[in-house]
Structures are given as C-alpha cells and as structure tokens.
C-alpha cells in the first residue's frame, strides 16, 4: 500500500482488481522460500544412519523408494535427500530406483529447483566432498549433477487443495506447518497418513508435531520430530468424514494455471477411483498444447527420460528414441481432430529394451 500510495485496505482491494499483475506480486511477497542444503544437519545424519537404511533393506527388484518433499521451495531439501540415498546405494552396492516428488505452490521456486543451479554460497552448507561428487562448477554457481537431478520430479502442488502423492516411504514436510493455523495443521495429519505406506516415515521440523494424532503415528525420534505411520484405516475414515476438498487428479494448480479450478469433496467413490487408477491405469502424461508437462501418472521411464543439456519439462524433449517424431504428429492430430491417434505400431528404444507402442487407436 505504501509503494502505491494507497491509504487503506479498500483502496488496495480496488487496486488489486484493476491490476492483475499486482495479485501475483502480492502472492510472491507472502511466500517464504527459506531453505538450504542439509538444513538442520543432525536430522540428515540421523536419517542416513537410522531411517533410510531400513527402508532400503529387503526391497524387491523394481520396487522404487518413493519420497515426497512437500513445500520444497527451491528444492535444496529434495536434492539433499537424493544425495543421501545415492551415498547409501553406493555404499551398499544397490541399484535401487528412487522417486522423489518435490512440490510447492511457487512456480518460480519450482523452476529454480528443476534447473538445479545454486549460488556459490552453498559451500557453507555442502561439504567439499559432496560438492565435488554431486555438483558441477559453473560461472554463476554450482549445478546439481544429472544423476541427482534425475532422481527428483518437481511439480506445482498445494498440500491443502490438491490430492496427495500416495504409497510413500517418506514424507518430508518441514517448516511449512508453522505458517498454518492449528485447525489446518490438524486437518493435514490424516492426509499425510493416508499418503504414507504403513510403516512409512513422516519428517517434520523440530518446531512442528503431529498434535493429537497419536492414533495415526508413532514416534521414531522425538528430538527431530520423526514419526512412523501406524497400520490403521483411521486416516481414511477421517478424510471421508471431513470437509476437505481436492482438485481432480491432473487438474493444473498454482498461480496462473490454465483453466478453472474444479473442487469436489472426497468421497468413497473418489478414493476407490484413485486406488483403481494407481493399480490398473496405464502410464499417462497431461501436457499443455505446446507439450509442457502438467501432471504425470504412473511409471513413464519406458517412454520418457531426462533430456541432455539444460533441464526441460517438455514431453517432446523427453521422449525416448523412436517416439519423438511420432508423438509430435500424434499431438498435432489429436489437437486437430480431438481423437486418439497413433494407430500403428512403432518401436521405442530404452537402454535395456526395445518395445512396441501404439498398436491400435485405443492405445
């Protein structure tokens, strides 16, 4: 208000209505993107020594370790966890697939995380050994190496309004709850439990806690506020009885997202639909008209890979050998006709196999 010479709140409200750009400016002023690599180092040391090894042990081949970093800001925490897992995998000679979902409501912060380029002052938080092993020195700072960037998927997501990721081994939501009212903190605990596998680990900051939800979590380490999800259906019952609303899966979220936000209450039917999709639906990707990815469902590694060079979020850049040209033409035809395309079989090449794709219009 001072910046624009406005005397009172009603005047600023009118200014917001007349200047849409000011809404975005205000939104970004309200966000608090305070984070760093290995923030609270003792917690990361505890996770590496006492939590992550147990999650890595006795996993079946092809069973990925799934982690969600909610409220990730510019991505340092997600990359810190990726580095820990890479160190453990190398020490134990494991070839374990890892999926780290790193989400925030700030599109600009997410873009920084995807690029993986950070200023020179990260040397205050990253050891010289990790700096050499996991970063490349560039003119403007340090870029996270490709092998670590490929472990992390960045996406716009609101923990309050969007469906959570599910079947998680670890959910890290540190220093986000402290900015929410107690009632909203309380509503989020059943969502977090629902997102985790039984025995999955919830990491909060030292100044946060699970509140009164001892029925959902047991304490792993009180000093660091690390909890384990109990095997109970209490969170599902809580969600069914609550007034929580989620956007349909695949609906764009965040400031400037395309299309209206469609909210609907969670119901038994909706929960069943999500469970069926996770179990039986094929891998799929929702994109903008230009191919920029909005949402990914299922395992897409057979069809997409991180493109060489500067990180790209465009499906055409990420398409594996044999798919890109056909996919571009299929998207063009789908846009023109509104119908499924690619009615012939093509061969898509990945490092370990060549597979047929698109044998009928239904594909």
């Amino acid at each position: 208000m001072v910046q624009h010479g406005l005397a009172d709140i009603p005047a600023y409200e009118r200014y917001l209505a007349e200047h849409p750009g000011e809404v975005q400016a205000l939104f970004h002023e309200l966000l608090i993107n305070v984070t760093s690599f290995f923030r609270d180092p003792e917690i990361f040391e505890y996770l590496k020594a006492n939590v992550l090894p147990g999650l890595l042990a006795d996993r079946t081949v092809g069973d990925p370790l799934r982690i969600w970093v909610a409220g990730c800001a510019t991505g340092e925490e997600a990359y810190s966890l990726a580095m820990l897992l890479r160190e453990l995998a190398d020490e134990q000679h494991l070839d374990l697939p890892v999926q780290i979902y790193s989400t925030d409501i700030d599109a600009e912060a997410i873009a920084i995380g995807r690029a993986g380029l950070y200023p020179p002052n990260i040397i205050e938080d990253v050891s010289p050994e990790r700096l050499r092993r996991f970063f490349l020195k560039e003119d403007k700072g340090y870029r996270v190496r490709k092998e670590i960037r490929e472990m992390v998927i960045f996406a716009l997501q609101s923990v309050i309004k969007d469906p959570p990721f599910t079947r998680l081994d670890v959910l890290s939501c540190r220093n986000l709850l402290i900015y929410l009212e107690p009632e909203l903190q309380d509503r989020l605990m059943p969502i977090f439990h629902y997102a985790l596998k039984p025995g999955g680990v919830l990491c909060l900051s030292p100044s946060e806690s699970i509140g009164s939800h001892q029925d959902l979590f047991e304490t792993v380490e009180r000093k660091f506020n690390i909890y384990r999800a109990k095997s109970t259906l209490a969170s599902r019952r809580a969600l069914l009885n609550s007034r929580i609303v989620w956007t349909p899966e695949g609906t764009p979220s965040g400031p400037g997202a395309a299309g209206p936000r469609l909210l609907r209450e969670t119901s038994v039917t909706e929960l069943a639909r999500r469970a069926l999709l996770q179990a039986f639906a094929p891998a799929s990707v929702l994109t903008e008209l230009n191919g920029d990815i909005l949402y990914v469902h299922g395992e897409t590694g057979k069809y997409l890979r991180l493109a060489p060079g500067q990180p790209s979020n465009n499906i055409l850049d990420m398409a594996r050998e044999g798919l890109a040209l056909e996919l571009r033409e299929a998207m063009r035809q789908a846009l023109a006709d509104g119908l499924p395309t690619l009615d012939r079989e093509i061969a898509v090449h990945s490092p370990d196999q060549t597979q047929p794709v698109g044998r009928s219009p239904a594909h």
Side-chain angles (χ1 to χ4, degrees):
M1 288 167 56
V2 170
Q3 181 178 345
H4 298 295
L6 302 172
D8 52 35
I9 292 293
Y12 187 54
E13 186 178 5
R14 290 192 296 271
Y15 188 88
L16 285 170
E18 296 167 1
H19 300 83
E22 179 69 13
V23 177
Q24 294 301 312
L26 176 61
F27 172 77
H28 286 291
E29 286 295 324
L30 293 172
L31 297 176
I32 304 173
N33 288 324
V34 177
T35 186
S36 61
F37 285 100
F38 302 98
R39 188 178 184 183
D40 302 316
E42 284 185 322
I43 294 178
F44 284 91
E45 292 171 7
Y46 183 87
L47 289 173
K48 184 177 181 181
N50 301 285
V51 175
L52 295 177
L55 296 175
L56 293 177
D58 301 324
R59 302 189 75 85
T60 59
V61 176
D63 180 20
L65 188 74
R66 290 168 57 86
I67 297 176
W68 178 18
V69 180
C72 68
T74 46
E76 285 90 333
E77 180 168 340
Y79 284 133
S80 298
L81 288 170
M83 292 179 218
L84 291 188
L85 288 166
R86 184 72 269 159
E87 290 171 350
L88 285 169
D90 289 349
E91 291 166 8
Q92 300 178 22
H93 305 289
L94 297 175
D95 183 15
L96 176 71
V98 175
Q99 298 170 348
I100 301 177
Y101 303 101
S102 189
T103 68
D104 202 276
I105 61 172
D106 186 350
E108 293 182 5
I110 287 292
I112 292 172
R114 283 196 184 117
L117 180 62
Y118 296 96
N121 62 6
I122 66 168
I123 61 174
E124 300 173 8
D125 305 307
V126 182
S127 69
E129 179 185 354
R130 283 176 172 153
L131 206 61
R132 287 192 299 270
R133 183 175 179 184
F134 298 122
F135 293 84
L136 292 172
K137 183 73 171 71
E138 297 188 3
D139 292 341
K140 295 183 179 180
Y142 295 91
R143 191 181 299 277
V144 180
R145 289 184 182 270
K146 181 181 176 182
E147 65 167 321
I148 300 299
R149 294 204 313 271
E150 288 181 337
M151 297 169 67
V152 183
I153 301 169
F154 286 92
L156 282 173
Q157 201 261 6
S158 166
V159 295
I160 300 166
K161 294 183 178 180
D162 294 325
F165 296 89
T166 55
R167 297 179 290 113
L168 299 170
D169 296 285
V170 179
L171 198 170
S172 179
C173 184
R174 302 172 62 230
N175 300 294
L176 172 63
L177 299 181
I178 55 176
Y179 299 110
L180 305 179
E181 294 288 345
E183 179 184 358
L184 192 51
Q185 294 181 30
D186 187 67
R187 287 169 55 193
L188 284 176
M189 286 303 117
I191 294 177
F192 288 170
H193 182 271
Y194 170 76
L196 287 161
K197 296 177 180 176
V201 174
L202 173 67
C203 302
L204 304 178
S205 77
S207 55
E208 299 166 330
S209 75
I210 59 171
S212 61
H213 292 282
Q214 285 78 17
D215 59 327
L216 301 180
F217 299 96
E218 60 185 6
T219 301
V220 174
E221 176 50 62
R222 190 174 303 279
K223 178 182 178 182
F224 301 133
N225 281 340
I226 298 175
Y227 305 91
R228 195 178 307 278
K230 293 181 179 180
S231 181
T232 173
L233 296 177
S235 62
R236 286 166 172 77
R237 290 193 293 268
L239 291 177
L240 293 175
N241 294 327
S242 75
R243 301 294 295 176
I244 292 174
V245 290
W246 286 335
T247 54
E249 289 190 37
T251 300
S253 63
R261 179 178 296 278
L262 304 175
L263 299 181
R264 61 182 170 190
E265 295 184 16
T266 302
S267 64
V268 174
T269 302
E270 176 64 9
L271 292 176
R273 185 188 72 83
R274 291 196 192 113
L276 289 169
L277 280 174
Q278 289 167 2
F280 300 111
S284 56
V285 181
L286 177 69
T287 75
E288 296 272 21
L289 296 179
N290 64 358
D292 286 345
I293 295 175
L294 295 171
Y295 190 86
V296 177
H297 175 83
E299 303 295 334
T300 59
K302 293 181 180 179
Y303 315 103
L304 305 178
R305 88 290 187 245
L306 191 66
Q310 292 291 328
S312 171
N313 194 43
N314 190 282
I315 193 171
L316 298 174
D317 294 333
M318 298 176 70
R320 288 197 177 277
E321 182 184 353
L323 182 59
L325 292 178
E326 297 284 355
L327 181 58
R328 185 187 302 274
E329 177 61 17
M331 291 175 66
R332 187 193 67 77
Q333 292 182 22
L335 180 60
D337 304 330
L339 296 172
T341 58
L342 195 56
D343 57 358
R344 62 191 177 280
E345 184 177 290
I346 63 172
V348 177
H349 307 284
S350 58
D352 56 348
Q353 65 177 317
T354 296
Q355 59 182 341
V357 172
R359 285 174 286 185
S360 72
H363 288 70

